[in-house]
Amino acid sequence: MAGATDVDDTVETFVVYDLFRAFWTRVVGLFFREIAERNAHLIPRTGPVMFVVAPHHNQFVDPVILLMHAMRRVYFLTAAASMRRKFIGFYGRCLRGIPVERQQDLARRCSGKIFLEDRFAEPTVISGHDTRFTQEVQVGMKLMLPNGVGQARIEAVESDTRLRISSEMRELAALELLTQADGTAYKVAPHVNQDDMYRAVYSRLNKGECIGIFPEGGSHDRTEMLPLKAGATIMALGATAANPELGLKIVPTGLNYFHPSKFRSRAVIDFGQPIDVPAELVEKYRQGGDAKRQACDDFLSIVADGLKQVTLNTPDLETLKLIQAGRRLYQPTQHSLTMAQQVELTRRFIKGYTVYRDLPAVAELRDRMADYNMQLRYYGIRDHQVETMRVGRAEAGALFVWRVVWLLIMGLIALPGTVINAPVFVVTSVFSKRKARAALAASTVKVRALDVIATWKILIALVL
């Protein structure tokens, strides 16, 4: 994989890195009203560190927020497809990013449609209509169904209309597509050799440097973490197996946003307790085969547990809204909570709700909270306004007149700036939403593609 090898550790390289790091941290700092951190003191000051960051909710903004608070130089694994883009690739190379080729970025559409001729007798045999398997498909490639509902390795190509996959696709959505009368469209992706990428990572770690990785694989806007990829554990175990004296630390890092796509919103970055690489798992990794896979799975579970301590995870958006409403009503009124305290309180609410959600009292409270949220939306008010809504007509009329006058005065003062900056806000809004629609169409995990909007707002604003 061209470009994955490590770059020279010259003074000029680090100077360029520091300059671009300073530039981007200032830019992102202007976009957000506040970015708070928790437990940055837990980050090891020396030695190799791997920051495992989730959830990946804000595309290219997430790495910069880590750079703002990590206190050390961190080099990120970045999709090779992004590194090949002119603008993003330039900055990625200046920040010493390590390109990672992803199979989904190399996938291509093939001729015809495929189907399961006999899902019970031959579940691994794929047949095709108007397909050209012998010309377009090779053994070792990955067969991919639309919307990511299923994929499998191609074991054998028997003819233009018949091939065999390594394992049966058991997912219901995949079976529905493969048993349609007219079959389904499909893509194939070549096998990717990641040896150069692993060598680059091991080289950085052996030099005592820091690596940043987003183990979910890509950015998204779901309320829960995506299943973690095994790459981070393979790197950690592989590097330690090659150098037992490495002393690598894994730092779980959680990113929590308050309206991540909006200008002047807020964010909290939370660093967890550093995780050592267990010696017994390194030994199992060295054995290879099933023992190696088991070691990676076991370490991935340890890393996932660490991430759960620093992230907010709910099964759906409605549950998150319920928890946030409960937190707002519960928090003390005599003093304000910091953002970090709000995130910690929300995390504890989620943990308690997950355990006790089936109790009758909790179910009743859930229904009452849902009704409360609905009434707030109906009246167009916020929680903090509820207690002050009981006012007389005269007082309400006077307040209304005063606020209209105040609005006119402040509107006149703000008018010149609004006129000057309106084109920037309009253009960034239109283009970022267009990019979001394109990202949503190309993704199998995004809900509304809100994770790309802030990135494009910043990039377009810089150009303007």
Side-chain angles (χ1 to χ4, degrees):
M1 183 173 59
T5 55
D6 205 2
V7 298
D8 294 335
D9 296 332
T10 62
V11 174
E12 292 80 3
T13 299
F14 291 124
V15 169
V16 170
Y17 173 94
D18 291 339
L19 287 174
F20 278 93
R21 173 177 177 165
F23 171 74
W24 282 112
T25 54
R26 297 299 184 276
V27 170
V28 171
L30 290 173
F31 183 85
F32 289 94
R33 182 196 312 171
E34 181 182 359
I35 301 175
E37 60 84 12
R38 294 183 74 243
N39 301 320
H41 65 278
L42 295 176
I43 301 173
R45 298 300 179 94
T46 60
V49 174
M50 181 181 293
F51 292 92
V52 181
V53 190
H56 198 0
H57 275 174
N58 226 340
Q59 206 180 31
F60 299 120
V61 173
D62 290 342
V64 180
I65 290 182
L66 176 59
L67 294 178
M68 294 174 73
H69 296 281
M71 300 180 297
R72 296 184 62 182
R73 294 187 178 103
V74 184
Y75 311 115
F76 288 93
L77 277 78
T78 308
S82 296
M83 295 289 278
R84 285 191 288 268
R85 295 161 73 173
K86 185 175 181 180
F87 186 77
I88 295 172
F90 169 74
Y91 286 109
R93 287 185 291 274
C94 290
L95 292 171
R96 300 185 73 211
I98 302 174
V100 182
E101 199 69 79
R102 302 185 302 181
Q103 275 192 318
Q104 61 264 37
D105 294 331
L106 302 176
R108 55 182 174 81
R109 178 81 176 269
C110 293
S111 306
K113 293 188 175 182
I114 59 174
F115 63 96
L116 276 173
E117 192 166 343
D118 191 336
R119 58 169 291 199
F120 298 106
E122 295 182 309
T124 60
V125 174
I126 302 293
S127 301
H129 290 302
D130 301 325
T131 50
R132 296 185 292 175
F133 292 153
T134 58
Q135 302 174 51
E136 300 178 339
V137 174
Q138 296 178 3
V139 173
M141 284 185 168
K142 183 170 288 186
L143 181 73
M144 307 173 71
L145 299 183
N147 300 320
V149 299
Q151 57 185 23
R153 183 180 181 275
I154 298 173
E155 282 288 313
V157 178
E158 300 177 359
S159 70
D160 270 339
T161 58
R162 183 181 171 94
L163 60 78
R164 192 176 297 273
I165 56 178
S166 59
S167 58
E168 176 185 358
M169 294 191 192
R170 301 178 181 273
E171 297 84 359
L172 179 59
L175 292 174
E176 288 177 348
L177 289 177
L178 289 169
T179 54
Q180 291 179 148
D182 58 345
T184 179
Y186 68 102
K187 293 181 179 180
V188 294
H191 172 71
V192 177
N193 187 328
Q194 302 285 17
D195 289 346
D196 287 346
M197 181 271 293
Y198 283 114
R199 277 194 292 270
V201 170
Y202 295 165
S203 174
R204 301 282 180 92
L205 295 177
N206 282 317
K207 294 173 184 175
E209 297 180 339
C210 300
I211 298 295
I213 183 171
F214 295 89
E216 296 169 291
S219 65
H220 64 94
D221 56 346
R222 293 181 175 272
T223 58
E224 76 282 2
M225 283 194 303
L226 299 180
L228 305 185
K229 310 289 186 182
T233 59
I234 295 173
M235 294 171 197
L237 292 170
T240 306
N243 180 7
E245 305 301 322
L246 184 62
L248 174 63
K249 302 288 186 181
I250 311 296
V251 178
T253 306
L255 289 170
N256 303 287
Y257 290 96
F258 297 76
H259 310 292
S261 63
K262 293 185 177 180
F263 180 62
R264 305 304 289 164
S265 57
R266 300 178 297 165
V268 177
I269 183 168
D270 197 346
F271 298 98
Q273 191 70 36
I275 301 171
D276 293 314
V277 182
E280 63 274 14
L281 294 185
V282 175
E283 185 58 36
K284 289 177 67 175
Y285 181 89
R286 287 196 183 101
Q287 297 172 17
D290 292 338
K292 178 179 179 179
R293 284 189 287 272
Q294 187 61 51
C296 291
D297 290 342
D298 291 346
F299 195 38
L300 190 63
S301 297
I302 295 173
V303 173
D305 289 340
L307 280 172
K308 289 176 183 176
Q309 302 303 313
V310 292
T311 56
L312 303 177
N313 292 281
T314 59
D316 51 58
L317 183 59
E318 289 304 314
T319 302
L320 180 60
K321 289 180 178 179
L322 171 71
I323 295 296
Q324 289 175 335
R327 184 258 299 163
R328 290 193 299 268
L329 292 173
Y330 176 81
Q331 68 185 35
T333 56
Q334 63 271 24
H335 64 273
S336 299
L337 297 180
T338 65
M339 282 196 303
Q341 290 173 330
Q342 291 179 37
V343 169
E344 179 59 27
L345 185 58
T346 303
R347 187 178 296 123
R348 295 187 183 189
F349 266 61
I350 292 173
K351 185 176 181 180
Y353 178 74
T354 302
V355 175
Y356 301 110
R357 63 185 301 171
D358 295 327
L359 293 179
V362 176
E364 180 185 357
L365 180 61
R366 179 175 62 241
D367 294 339
R368 292 173 60 190
M369 291 291 296
D371 181 65
Y372 174 74
N373 277 336
M374 183 178 66
Q375 290 189 54
L376 288 180
R377 290 194 297 270
Y378 178 79
Y379 289 109
I381 58 176
R382 304 291 182 89
D383 289 313
H384 67 274
Q385 296 174 309
V386 173
E387 292 183 346
T388 61
M389 294 303 292
R390 295 181 179 178
V391 295
R393 291 187 177 182
E395 184 180 354
L399 182 62
F400 174 76
V401 172
W402 162 246
R403 288 185 173 176
V404 169
V405 171
W406 182 252
L407 177 63
L408 291 174
I409 294 173
M410 297 305 296
L412 290 173
I413 296 174
L415 183 60
T418 302
V419 173
I420 293 172
N421 292 298
V424 176
F425 282 104
V426 172
V427 172
T428 55
S429 178
V430 171
F431 274 85
S432 61
K433 289 178 180 178
R434 183 180 299 174
K435 291 292 184 180
R437 287 194 294 270
L440 184 61
S443 173
T444 61
V445 298
K446 300 183 193 296
V447 179
R448 296 166 57 194
L450 298 179
D451 53 299
V452 306
I453 289 181
T455 293
W456 284 105
K457 281 183 176 179
I458 293 172
L459 293 177
I460 295 167
L462 282 174
V463 173
L464 295 178

